[in-house]
Structure formats: structure tokens, C-alpha cells
Amino acid sequence: MFDVVIPVFNAMHHARACIKSVLHDDTIPLHLYVVNDHSAGYTTEALRQLLSGYDDARYTLIENHENLGYLKSLNRGIAEGSSPYVLCLNSDTFVPPGHLRRLTHAFESDEQIAVATAVSDWANWTRICWRIPQGYNALDFARRVAEVSTGAFPDIHNASGFYFAVRRSVFDSLGLFDEAYGFGYWEETDFCMRVLDAGWRVVVDDGLFVHHHGQGTLDKPSQQKHMNANRRIFMKRWKRAYRKLEKAWKKNNPISYVDPAIFSDRGIVAPALIRGRPSAAAGSQATQFPISREEARRRLAELMDPATSLGEILSTLDRAGDASKSQSTAPPQVLFLVPDLSADAAGLAAIQLVHQLLTEHVDANIVTYGVLDEQALQVCPVAFSPHVYPDAASMLSDFPDCGVLVATDSEMAHAAVLLRQLRPHLKLFHWIQDQSGCEDEQTHRACRLIADRVVGSDWMARELAGFGGTTHVVPPGVNLDFFHDLRCLRAPHVIAWVGADTSSGDFEDVCRVYEALHRLCPGIELALCGQGYETRALPFPVKDHGRVTRLDQLATALNEATFFLGLGSTSPIARTALAAMACGTAAVLSRQQSITGFAKHEHNCLLFEPSDCDGAVEQLHRIIEDSWLRQRLIDNAHQTASAHTAVQQTRKMADLLQQQDT
């Protein structure tokens, strides 16, 4: 039986993933203590709502009435429990299934083991990689690390606090963490020194990998301040003994064998060695198809050629389907095929969805080719690293094994069809995010080839009904853990989003609207965010948020603004409009089919006809002048955002992707 203690201070996106990963594991009885360290209102309510979905016998929610800091919150949670083992867990970790079973085995193997920890991608003496390697996620990399384990529990002497398991009898003997270390840092090292001084062991399970994002709560200046102050306290107590242990660790790291065992025997390139160039996907999961790069290139071009008979292609897929019926169940992993993974709308949506699927314990990842835009992976904290190939032919000739493929554009849809010809067990989906795809000939062709399509609105489903097959509607959702109303004071301020995948005409329309609005309301601040625009195109100062790729940055910009102007017809406008509604930013939107599922004129927003700049100015001026109307729209928009969440989108997509053919 374990007591698991997780202090939480805001950063609900981290806490949600961590808590769900803990409560997903029922192999060993546990009681979870979540200590809410006086978080903001949204996090407090979100924690209550999240935990209410579980058996209340499995958890206790402790709420501090003031911000005590990580260390005191941790001690408070430990003191509440009585189980023989205690796991202290940072809220920005993601634990794999079976981790408590491994800890139990470690403690039962030797009564002298007082503290046990895991290897990670963010730790002090037990770090084995600088991030999850390419082609892996937190779930399958944990399985890979377990494969190479020696089964031993080497003495590490210094266990990092991100994942810190302790016998309760040791706490009873030595006391809890020393609160002289204030908000935290170095307290776990101090505890390890006390443990060693008393003659017990501090070990690491070399086969237990726990993903740790790192720096999940404190900002860097605050973190450095606490670390420096606490280091002085620690060194005053333990400098000589610690330096001796540190020197021995550097000379003979007891888990130095883990890296070579993971990376070298399967031809994997350690991510730390990759600097701005494409690399092959992880060889641990790649299975060579009986097809060369040249053959893959030729066959993909043939599939995409309009002159190629669809009937012949479909007949080969039917034959492949018949052949697969006698095969064993396919591997469960879901792979999203994303071309040129960059910080554009389609790529960012796929990155967010894959991470959310992992929090639902769906084994998912992304496959792409070309040069990986590292900024794209910073959109939000992610627990995976995509497979990256130099080009499409390389990808097709050496594709990783999986059970489900989700193509995100027409080219990748054709690639998926070729892969299914080679791998008959594959289940294919075509995820069409943008309404403009309904008018694209290559998308129409792909719709005839892939029977299962996923779209974001009923309108798109109706548009594609004539292609046969099944169109599944999974509405887009907003991640409320990032996008919520901070209830701050806001000066009159309009923000418009401009994306690289919108037409230049959209920015020209923004300029016309802003120029007219500036004449009508010269005191109102105007702002832009996104990319593909020049602020100097406007004859007056405009606040420029620049290329906003991180969700937290966009949430900050939206919470500063009073009004959101949405022009254009692409799916990012729909997602950004939902984010604005969640942040309490009054929305004025172009009446596009992509937003009709949630945007209701004079209920939660004001709408104007596409390319009607005068109409946009009129509606903006109206909402600026009428505070009662503005507040009513904002209140209703909050309800709309709550009904269109990323959690709902993810669960619906997870159910769809995990359906078994009958």
C-alpha cells in the first residue's frame, strides 16, 4: 500500500496529466493526497472537478488557506497518510503503469533500502537522456527502459525529489523533510544525507523511467533564488560528505550502462546529438517494409496521380483487408501522419491532441519528415518526441509498426493508403481540420480512398457525405487549463490573430478594420499576434505580440485584450476564437462555416459577413460602446467554452481510434 503525495500550485495542465497517470494504475493499492497550495481559482475548481470523477476512497484533497510552498505542502500530505510506503511526486511528472509494483519490489528486496527513485529525462544523478528520444512517448520509452533493466537496484546516494519513494518507518525515525529549506530545493538531498548517515540505502530502479517536464511551477528567477539560498544551507551542513559522494558518482555513475543499452543496440541516435537536422525515427520500433525508397517514391506519386484508377486502388485495399482478417490483433499504437511538422495550425493541433491522448493512456505519436521545427514542440509541455525522417520516401520505406494511422492532409492520406497496402492490418483515418479541405480535389480523392474521416463540424460532415464511408464529427476543443479568464482589469484593447496559413487578403482586411476603428475610437489599443504580417503596414502604433506558438503566451495575450477580432476561414480562427471566449475576451468573428458549431450571433459573440470590413468595424464599435451587451456575450461565451473542451475532444477521439472492427 502506498501513499502518493502531490503538491499542486497552479499549472493545472501538468497536474491533470500527473494525477490521471497515478490514478490510472491500480496494480498496487494506493491513496492519493493532492495538496492544493492556495492555487488560483481556476486550478482550485479544476482539481475538485477532476478528482470528483474518481472513487473518493482513493484520494484526499487537502487545500492550504495560504501559499505554504512545495516543502511544507509535501510534509502536510505525508503526515496525513499511514501507508508503509510514501511516494513524493512533483506535479509535472507522468508515471508509467506498474511503477508502484516496481517500487514495492525494490523495498521488499532489501530492508535497508530507505529511499528509491527512478531514471528520468529531467533529474540530477539519475538522468539518462536530455528528453524523450525521437520516436518514443513517455509510455513506450518506459517499456523500452524496462527491457534493458538489469533488475538491480544500484545505490545512487542522491535521489531527486521529482519521484522520491520512502519507507514510512524512515520518516518515523528521522522526521519529515527539513522545512529550513523554505519553498523547496535541496531538501531531498539533505534527507538522503540523513538516511545515509543512519546507515540505510538510497537506490534507483534502473528499469523505471518517469517522464519529468521540469520547472513546471516556479519561474526561472524564483527557482534560481530558492536554489542558491538552499544550497548554502545544505553545504554548511553536508559539504564534505556530499563532495565525496559527488566525486565518486562522477567517476563511476552506477547507471552509466543504461544509456548505451537503450540507444546503441537499436541504432538510435541520442537526441542530444541532433542539432537542427532531420534524423531517422527510433529504430526500436521501426520495421523494414519490403520496399525501397525509390519504389516508395514511385508508388506514392502513382497513387496521387489523378490518372490512376481509384477502382484499382480500392480493390487492392479490399484484398489487403481480407488478408488481415486472419492476422493477430495489431499493435495498439496510434500514429498521426503530419507533413512538415512546424508551428502552423495543423501541426500544433496534432501536437496538442497527441499529448492529450497520452494523458488518456492512448499510446500515440507523430510521424513526419523534413526539418523539425523545435518551436512546434514548445506549444505546450509534451510527453513524446515524434518520428522524424529526411523525406517521404524514407518514411515509407522504414515505417514504425503501429495499429492505427491518422493522416492529417491529402498527401499523408495517400501515404497512409500505400502503407496499408504494405501492412493490411492497419486501420486508417483521415483527419480533415480545415473547411477549405472540403473544396480540394486531392482531399476529395483521399476521401474516396479512406473510408473513415474525422471532421470538426456537422457542416463538414454534410459536405463530405457524398464520398461514402463514415464521417465522424469530433468538434475542436479548447484547453481550459491554459485558456481561462484570469479576471484581471483590462484597458480597452482589440487583438487580431493572423496566421501564416491564412491568405494575405485577411491581413489586408485587418488593416482596413483597424484603420477605420482607430478613426472611430482613437483611444483604444490595437494589437496583432501570429505571423506573416508587418505592423509597419499600419500608419499608427500597434502592439505586436509576434509569433505566438506557446499556449501560455497566447492565453496571456488574450487575457490582456478586451476584444478579439477573428477574420478568415481557416480552422485556427475557430480554435483561437474558442480560446478567446474561454479567456473572457469578447469575440467579433467572420461568419464562417468552421465556427457555426459554437459561435452564435448576439448570444456569445457578434458576427459579420466574410470580407465585410465595414460590418466588422460596426460590430466592434457596437460592442465597445455597449458594456451591457459585452458582458452578456462574455458570460455566455464562458459557458460555450466549457461545453467545447480539449478533454471532451480527446476522449471522443480516443474512443474512436480505439474501436475494434467487428
Side-chain angles (χ1 to χ4, degrees):
M1 178 74 174
F2 268 85
D3 290 329
V4 180
V5 183
I6 307 175
V8 174
F9 179 63
N10 296 322
M12 186 62 200
H13 56 288
H14 284 309
R16 185 183 301 277
C18 179
I19 290 169
K20 290 171 74 171
S21 70
V22 168
L23 292 176
H24 177 79
D25 189 359
D26 58 3
T27 56
I28 296 291
L30 68 89
H31 191 89
L32 174 64
Y33 293 89
V34 177
V35 187
N36 178 13
D37 193 19
H38 201 60
S39 298
Y42 170 78
T43 299
T44 295
E45 185 55 38
L47 281 173
R48 294 170 183 166
Q49 185 178 23
L50 172 63
L51 290 169
S52 69
Y54 295 93
D55 180 355
D56 57 10
R58 299 190 71 201
Y59 73 87
T60 298
L61 176 59
I62 303 168
E63 297 189 342
N64 294 341
H65 297 298
E66 61 178 315
N67 183 234
L68 301 179
Y70 175 82
L71 184 49
K72 289 183 179 180
S73 296
L74 185 62
N75 279 345
R76 185 179 180 190
I78 295 169
E80 288 285 329
S82 59
S83 297
Y85 305 120
V86 182
L87 173 60
C88 307
L89 202 57
N90 283 13
S91 63
D92 59 345
T93 55
F94 186 87
V95 297
H99 70 112
L100 293 182
R101 185 175 62 248
R102 297 190 68 99
L103 284 179
T104 301
H105 179 55
F107 284 121
E108 290 180 349
S109 70
D110 184 354
E111 292 184 354
Q112 289 302 108
I113 293 178
V115 175
T117 190
V119 297
S120 183
D121 48 350
W122 187 281
N124 291 328
W125 291 11
T126 62
R127 190 172 195 163
I128 60 169
C129 55
W130 287 96
R131 66 179 184 189
I132 295 173
Q134 284 190 9
Y136 282 104
N137 59 44
L139 296 174
D140 58 13
F141 190 58
R143 292 194 292 268
R144 174 65 184 137
V145 172
E147 287 176 359
V148 304
S149 171
T150 63
F153 304 106
D155 291 271
I156 195 66
H157 302 307
N158 178 21
S160 296
F162 77 99
Y163 186 92
F164 197 91
V166 186
R167 287 185 192 271
R168 184 169 289 278
S169 59
V170 175
F171 279 133
D172 294 339
S173 176
L174 298 181
L176 302 181
F177 293 104
D178 191 339
E179 293 181 3
Y181 289 94
F183 271 60
Y185 293 115
W186 288 91
E187 79 285 345
E188 78 272 36
T189 311
D190 179 276
F191 189 83
C192 288
M193 299 302 292
R194 289 157 58 195
V195 163
L196 296 173
D197 203 42
W200 285 305
R201 295 175 63 196
V202 177
V203 305
V204 58
D205 181 348
D206 66 357
L208 174 56
F209 173 82
V210 172
H211 171 60
H212 180 210
H213 183 266
Q215 300 177 336
T217 300
L218 288 176
D219 55 61
K220 286 187 178 180
S222 297
Q223 179 196 41
Q224 199 60 50
K225 175 185 175 182
H226 291 300
M227 287 186 71
N228 291 341
N230 289 351
R231 186 177 185 277
R232 288 192 291 270
I233 296 172
F234 176 84
M235 287 301 178
K236 188 175 181 180
R237 296 177 177 181
W238 302 103
K239 183 176 181 179
R240 185 173 180 180
Y242 177 76
R243 291 300 191 204
K244 183 178 179 180
L245 291 173
E246 185 180 41
K247 183 178 180 180
W249 169 73
K250 289 180 177 179
K251 183 177 181 180
N252 184 26
N253 181 352
I255 57 169
S256 60
Y257 56 85
V258 177
D259 269 359
I262 293 171
F263 296 123
S264 63
D265 70 331
R266 302 293 183 93
I268 303 171
V269 179
L273 305 178
I274 298 168
R275 291 290 182 268
R277 62 178 178 81
S279 73
S284 63
Q285 300 179 62
T287 303
Q288 184 72 32
F289 290 112
I291 186 172
S292 67
R293 288 176 173 80
E294 293 73 20
E295 178 69 5
R297 190 176 293 110
R298 183 190 66 78
R299 290 180 62 171
L300 180 59
E302 184 179 84
L303 280 173
M304 297 186 68
D305 186 349
T308 303
S309 166
L310 287 174
E312 177 58 29
I313 299 172
L314 290 170
S315 68
T316 63
L317 293 178
D318 289 340
R319 291 195 296 271
D322 292 338
S324 70
K325 291 178 181 178
S326 61
Q327 296 186 8
S328 61
T329 303
Q333 189 175 54
V334 177
L335 293 180
F336 285 71
L337 293 168
V338 182
D340 186 25
L341 186 61
S342 61
D344 65 1
L348 296 183
I351 289 168
Q352 293 174 64
L353 180 58
V354 167
H355 177 70
Q356 291 288 328
L357 285 169
L358 286 169
T359 68
E360 296 292 331
H361 275 76
V362 176
D363 191 351
N365 210 324
I366 287 174
V367 180
T368 187
Y369 58 84
V371 177
L372 177 66
D373 182 352
E374 293 290 346
Q375 274 196 302
L377 294 177
Q378 297 172 12
V379 60
C380 62
V382 296
F384 70 94
S385 186
H387 300 261
V388 184
Y389 292 87
D391 50 51
S394 299
M395 176 187 75
L396 291 167
S397 66
D398 189 26
F399 200 80
D401 203 0
C402 65
V404 179
L405 282 181
V406 183
T408 59
D409 79 341
S410 58
E411 180 182 355
M412 285 302 202
H414 287 84
V417 169
L418 175 53
L419 289 167
R420 188 165 185 272
Q421 290 176 337
L422 298 167
R423 284 295 180 91
H425 70 260
L426 289 176
K427 174 73 172 177
L428 304 186
F429 290 90
H430 186 192
W431 185 23
I432 306 172
Q433 300 183 54
D434 193 341
Q435 71 178 56
S436 62
C438 296
E439 304 160 1
D440 178 73
E441 285 300 322
Q442 283 288 1
T443 301
H444 290 177
R445 183 177 175 85
C447 286
R448 293 186 177 94
L449 293 174
I450 298 181
D452 284 285
R453 297 175 290 276
V454 182
V455 298
S457 68
D458 291 330
W459 174 83
M460 292 179 70
R462 289 193 297 270
E463 289 293 301
L464 299 174
F467 294 103
T470 305
T471 302
H472 310 272
V473 179
V474 180
V478 59
N479 191 331
L480 296 181
D481 292 343
F482 288 98
F483 298 106
H484 51 267
D485 193 343
L486 298 179
R487 309 287 180 180
C488 51
L489 292 175
R490 312 185 195 201
H493 178 159
V494 181
I495 188 170
W497 185 90
V498 180
D501 39 8
T502 60
S503 68
S504 59
D506 290 337
F507 177 57
E508 293 170 2
D509 285 347
V510 171
C511 290
R512 284 192 284 269
V513 171
Y514 270 15
E515 288 174 7
L517 193 62
H518 182 68
R519 290 191 295 270
L520 276 173
C521 309
I524 196 166
E525 185 175 15
L526 303 174
L528 292 167
C529 69
Q531 55 184 317
Y533 62 83
E534 292 284 348
T535 56
R536 60 188 177 187
L538 290 160
F540 46 82
V542 175
K543 184 172 184 177
D544 184 10
H545 291 279
R547 184 188 184 195
V548 180
T549 56
R550 284 174 41 181
L551 299 188
D552 57 348
Q553 293 173 337
L554 180 58
T556 298
L558 290 173
N559 266 284
E560 290 177 1
T562 323
F563 313 99
F564 173 74
L565 172 62
L567 287 160
S569 60
T570 56
S571 57
I573 291 293
R575 287 191 292 269
T576 312
L578 265 176
M581 290 181 174
C583 291
T585 310
V588 177
L589 309 172
S590 173
R591 192 189 301 270
Q592 302 286 350
Q593 294 291 351
S594 61
I595 66 172
T596 54
F598 65 87
K600 307 300 178 185
H601 183 55
E602 298 201 353
H603 173 70
N604 55 20
C605 66
L606 295 180
L607 300 176
F608 57 91
E609 295 304 315
S611 301
D612 181 5
C613 296
D614 291 339
V617 173
E618 177 185 347
Q619 299 293 10
L620 276 169
H621 187 247
R622 180 184 170 199
I623 203 172
I624 290 168
E625 295 295 317
D626 190 338
S627 60
W628 182 87
L629 170 64
R630 178 168 68 249
Q631 192 57 52
R632 178 168 61 83
L633 297 178
I634 289 172
D635 290 343
N636 290 334
H638 281 145
Q639 297 178 22
T640 298
S642 296
H644 294 78
T645 68
V647 171
Q648 294 164 332
Q649 178 193 17
T650 304
R651 287 176 178 168
K652 192 166 185 177
M653 186 71 89
D655 290 343
L656 175 63
L657 298 177
Q658 293 183 312
Q659 285 178 357
Q660 296 295 321
D661 290 334
T662 57

PDB file of all heavy atoms in Angstrom, residues 7 11 75-76 121 179 186 214 234 264 288 311 423 466 515 529 542 548:
ATOM      1  N   PRO A   7       1.971  17.843  -4.233  1.00  0.00           N
ATOM      2  CA  PRO A   7       1.647  19.258  -4.023  1.00  0.00           C
ATOM      3  C   PRO A   7       1.368  19.932  -5.368  1.00  0.00           C
ATOM      4  O   PRO A   7       2.054  19.664  -6.365  1.00  0.00           O
ATOM      5  CB  PRO A   7       2.905  19.837  -3.376  1.00  0.00           C
ATOM      6  CG  PRO A   7       3.677  18.637  -2.887  1.00  0.00           C
ATOM      7  CD  PRO A   7       3.360  17.546  -3.867  1.00  0.00           C
ATOM      8  N   ALA A  11      -0.512  25.695 -12.623  1.00  0.00           N
ATOM      9  CA  ALA A  11      -0.016  24.770 -13.661  1.00  0.00           C
ATOM     10  C   ALA A  11      -0.901  23.528 -13.749  1.00  0.00           C
ATOM     11  O   ALA A  11      -0.423  22.387 -13.684  1.00  0.00           O
ATOM     12  CB  ALA A  11       1.437  24.384 -13.395  1.00  0.00           C
ATOM     13  N   ASN A  75       5.143  17.935   3.254  1.00  0.00           N
ATOM     14  CA  ASN A  75       5.126  17.394   4.619  1.00  0.00           C
ATOM     15  C   ASN A  75       3.702  17.240   5.143  1.00  0.00           C
ATOM     16  O   ASN A  75       3.386  16.271   5.846  1.00  0.00           O
ATOM     17  CB  ASN A  75       5.927  18.299   5.549  1.00  0.00           C
ATOM     18  CG  ASN A  75       7.427  18.058   5.459  1.00  0.00           C
ATOM     19  OD1 ASN A  75       7.870  17.042   4.921  1.00  0.00           O
ATOM     20  ND2 ASN A  75       8.206  18.983   5.973  1.00  0.00           N
ATOM     21  N   ARG A  76       2.843  18.191   4.801  1.00  0.00           N
ATOM     22  CA  ARG A  76       1.461  18.096   5.256  1.00  0.00           C
ATOM     23  C   ARG A  76       0.779  16.858   4.672  1.00  0.00           C
ATOM     24  O   ARG A  76       0.048  16.146   5.366  1.00  0.00           O
ATOM     25  CB  ARG A  76       0.695  19.367   4.868  1.00  0.00           C
ATOM     26  CG  ARG A  76      -0.712  19.385   5.427  1.00  0.00           C
ATOM     27  CD  ARG A  76      -1.482  20.643   5.071  1.00  0.00           C
ATOM     28  NE  ARG A  76      -2.820  20.569   5.647  1.00  0.00           N
ATOM     29  CZ  ARG A  76      -3.806  21.411   5.373  1.00  0.00           C
ATOM     30  NH1 ARG A  76      -3.602  22.415   4.529  1.00  0.00           N
ATOM     31  NH2 ARG A  76      -4.989  21.262   5.937  1.00  0.00           N
ATOM     32  N   ASP A 121      14.195  11.924 -17.712  1.00  0.00           N
ATOM     33  CA  ASP A 121      14.752  12.874 -18.672  1.00  0.00           C
ATOM     34  C   ASP A 121      14.986  14.232 -18.022  1.00  0.00           C
ATOM     35  O   ASP A 121      15.423  15.167 -18.689  1.00  0.00           O
ATOM     36  CB  ASP A 121      13.842  13.013 -19.896  1.00  0.00           C
ATOM     37  CG  ASP A 121      12.385  13.209 -19.542  1.00  0.00           C
ATOM     38  OD1 ASP A 121      12.017  13.048 -18.362  1.00  0.00           O
ATOM     39  OD2 ASP A 121      11.593  13.512 -20.455  1.00  0.00           O
ATOM     40  N   GLU A 179      12.077  21.785   7.034  1.00  0.00           N
ATOM     41  CA  GLU A 179      11.427  22.973   6.492  1.00  0.00           C
ATOM     42  C   GLU A 179      12.312  24.210   6.556  1.00  0.00           C
ATOM     43  O   GLU A 179      11.884  25.307   6.161  1.00  0.00           O
ATOM     44  CB  GLU A 179      10.097  23.199   7.212  1.00  0.00           C
ATOM     45  CG  GLU A 179       9.097  22.089   6.895  1.00  0.00           C
ATOM     46  CD  GLU A 179       7.739  22.271   7.553  1.00  0.00           C
ATOM     47  OE1 GLU A 179       7.531  23.310   8.229  1.00  0.00           O
ATOM     48  OE2 GLU A 179       6.884  21.379   7.382  1.00  0.00           O
ATOM     49  N   TRP A 186      16.896  21.185  -2.634  1.00  0.00           N
ATOM     50  CA  TRP A 186      17.958  20.622  -1.806  1.00  0.00           C
ATOM     51  C   TRP A 186      17.424  19.878  -0.577  1.00  0.00           C
ATOM     52  O   TRP A 186      18.186  19.196   0.104  1.00  0.00           O
ATOM     53  CB  TRP A 186      18.985  21.679  -1.370  1.00  0.00           C
ATOM     54  CG  TRP A 186      19.875  22.131  -2.487  1.00  0.00           C
ATOM     55  CD1 TRP A 186      19.656  23.189  -3.324  1.00  0.00           C
ATOM     56  CD2 TRP A 186      21.101  21.537  -2.902  1.00  0.00           C
ATOM     57  NE1 TRP A 186      20.679  23.301  -4.239  1.00  0.00           N
ATOM     58  CE2 TRP A 186      21.583  22.297  -4.001  1.00  0.00           C
ATOM     59  CE3 TRP A 186      21.859  20.442  -2.459  1.00  0.00           C
ATOM     60  CZ2 TRP A 186      22.764  22.000  -4.657  1.00  0.00           C
ATOM     61  CZ3 TRP A 186      23.051  20.143  -3.106  1.00  0.00           C
ATOM     62  CH2 TRP A 186      23.485  20.917  -4.204  1.00  0.00           C
ATOM     63  N   GLY A 214       9.993  19.248 -15.689  1.00  0.00           N
ATOM     64  CA  GLY A 214      10.938  20.159 -15.046  1.00  0.00           C
ATOM     65  C   GLY A 214      10.475  21.602 -15.094  1.00  0.00           C
ATOM     66  O   GLY A 214       9.867  22.044 -16.068  1.00  0.00           O
ATOM     67  N   PHE A 234      22.502  23.784   2.695  1.00  0.00           N
ATOM     68  CA  PHE A 234      22.917  22.385   2.572  1.00  0.00           C
ATOM     69  C   PHE A 234      24.428  22.243   2.723  1.00  0.00           C
ATOM     70  O   PHE A 234      24.914  21.358   3.453  1.00  0.00           O
ATOM     71  CB  PHE A 234      22.463  21.834   1.225  1.00  0.00           C
ATOM     72  CG  PHE A 234      22.920  20.429   0.958  1.00  0.00           C
ATOM     73  CD1 PHE A 234      22.208  19.346   1.444  1.00  0.00           C
ATOM     74  CD2 PHE A 234      24.082  20.192   0.238  1.00  0.00           C
ATOM     75  CE1 PHE A 234      22.644  18.050   1.217  1.00  0.00           C
ATOM     76  CE2 PHE A 234      24.526  18.902  -0.001  1.00  0.00           C
ATOM     77  CZ  PHE A 234      23.803  17.826   0.492  1.00  0.00           C
ATOM     78  N   SER A 264      22.293   2.408 -28.256  1.00  0.00           N
ATOM     79  CA  SER A 264      23.243   1.918 -29.253  1.00  0.00           C
ATOM     80  C   SER A 264      22.820   0.626 -29.926  1.00  0.00           C
ATOM     81  O   SER A 264      23.062   0.442 -31.116  1.00  0.00           O
ATOM     82  CB  SER A 264      24.619   1.728 -28.604  1.00  0.00           C
ATOM     83  OG  SER A 264      24.549   0.750 -27.589  1.00  0.00           O
ATOM     84  N   GLN A 288      11.368  -2.803 -41.210  1.00  0.00           N
ATOM     85  CA  GLN A 288      11.648  -2.575 -42.618  1.00  0.00           C
ATOM     86  C   GLN A 288      10.577  -3.213 -43.503  1.00  0.00           C
ATOM     87  O   GLN A 288      10.313  -4.404 -43.415  1.00  0.00           O
ATOM     88  CB  GLN A 288      13.023  -3.170 -42.973  1.00  0.00           C
ATOM     89  CG  GLN A 288      13.452  -2.909 -44.401  1.00  0.00           C
ATOM     90  CD  GLN A 288      13.835  -1.465 -44.604  1.00  0.00           C
ATOM     91  OE1 GLN A 288      14.335  -0.836 -43.698  1.00  0.00           O
ATOM     92  NE2 GLN A 288      13.605  -0.942 -45.790  1.00  0.00           N
ATOM     93  N   GLY A 311     -10.655   2.782 -58.666  1.00  0.00           N
ATOM     94  CA  GLY A 311     -11.207   1.441 -58.524  1.00  0.00           C
ATOM     95  C   GLY A 311     -10.133   0.410 -58.272  1.00  0.00           C
ATOM     96  O   GLY A 311     -10.298  -0.478 -57.422  1.00  0.00           O
ATOM     97  N   ARG A 423       0.887  -3.048 -45.227  1.00  0.00           N
ATOM     98  CA  ARG A 423       0.553  -3.573 -43.908  1.00  0.00           C
ATOM     99  C   ARG A 423      -0.968  -3.694 -43.784  1.00  0.00           C
ATOM    100  O   ARG A 423      -1.641  -2.759 -43.351  1.00  0.00           O
ATOM    101  CB  ARG A 423       1.087  -2.641 -42.816  1.00  0.00           C
ATOM    102  CG  ARG A 423       2.591  -2.747 -42.595  1.00  0.00           C
ATOM    103  CD  ARG A 423       2.941  -4.147 -42.071  1.00  0.00           C
ATOM    104  NE  ARG A 423       4.353  -4.303 -41.853  1.00  0.00           N
ATOM    105  CZ  ARG A 423       4.964  -4.041 -40.702  1.00  0.00           C
ATOM    106  NH1 ARG A 423       4.272  -3.572 -39.701  1.00  0.00           N
ATOM    107  NH2 ARG A 423       6.255  -4.233 -40.572  1.00  0.00           N
ATOM    108  N   GLY A 466     -21.191  12.728 -49.669  1.00  0.00           N
ATOM    109  CA  GLY A 466     -21.291  12.090 -50.972  1.00  0.00           C
ATOM    110  C   GLY A 466     -20.146  11.172 -51.327  1.00  0.00           C
ATOM    111  O   GLY A 466     -20.190  10.492 -52.362  1.00  0.00           O
ATOM    112  N   GLU A 515      -7.715  50.562 -39.276  1.00  0.00           N
ATOM    113  CA  GLU A 515      -7.643  51.973 -39.656  1.00  0.00           C
ATOM    114  C   GLU A 515      -8.976  52.671 -39.394  1.00  0.00           C
ATOM    115  O   GLU A 515      -9.017  53.785 -38.849  1.00  0.00           O
ATOM    116  CB  GLU A 515      -7.242  52.104 -41.127  1.00  0.00           C
ATOM    117  CG  GLU A 515      -5.781  51.758 -41.382  1.00  0.00           C
ATOM    118  CD  GLU A 515      -5.438  51.749 -42.876  1.00  0.00           C
ATOM    119  OE1 GLU A 515      -6.302  52.138 -43.686  1.00  0.00           O
ATOM    120  OE2 GLU A 515      -4.313  51.354 -43.212  1.00  0.00           O
ATOM    121  N   CYS A 529      -1.232  39.400 -33.272  1.00  0.00           N
ATOM    122  CA  CYS A 529      -0.382  38.269 -32.921  1.00  0.00           C
ATOM    123  C   CYS A 529      -0.446  37.259 -34.058  1.00  0.00           C
ATOM    124  O   CYS A 529      -1.386  37.254 -34.854  1.00  0.00           O
ATOM    125  CB  CYS A 529      -0.797  37.629 -31.599  1.00  0.00           C
ATOM    126  SG  CYS A 529      -2.370  36.768 -31.632  1.00  0.00           S
ATOM    127  N   VAL A 542       0.887  49.874 -33.214  1.00  0.00           N
ATOM    128  CA  VAL A 542       0.108  48.673 -32.916  1.00  0.00           C
ATOM    129  C   VAL A 542       0.964  47.772 -32.034  1.00  0.00           C
ATOM    130  O   VAL A 542       2.152  47.571 -32.298  1.00  0.00           O
ATOM    131  CB  VAL A 542      -0.275  47.921 -34.212  1.00  0.00           C
ATOM    132  CG1 VAL A 542      -0.970  46.617 -33.879  1.00  0.00           C
ATOM    133  CG2 VAL A 542      -1.177  48.772 -35.081  1.00  0.00           C
ATOM    134  N   VAL A 548       3.163  33.815 -31.805  1.00  0.00           N
ATOM    135  CA  VAL A 548       2.797  33.178 -30.543  1.00  0.00           C
ATOM    136  C   VAL A 548       2.530  31.698 -30.814  1.00  0.00           C
ATOM    137  O   VAL A 548       1.523  31.335 -31.406  1.00  0.00           O
ATOM    138  CB  VAL A 548       1.552  33.833 -29.925  1.00  0.00           C
ATOM    139  CG1 VAL A 548       1.196  33.150 -28.613  1.00  0.00           C
ATOM    140  CG2 VAL A 548       1.796  35.319 -29.696  1.00  0.00           C
TER     141      VAL A 548
END
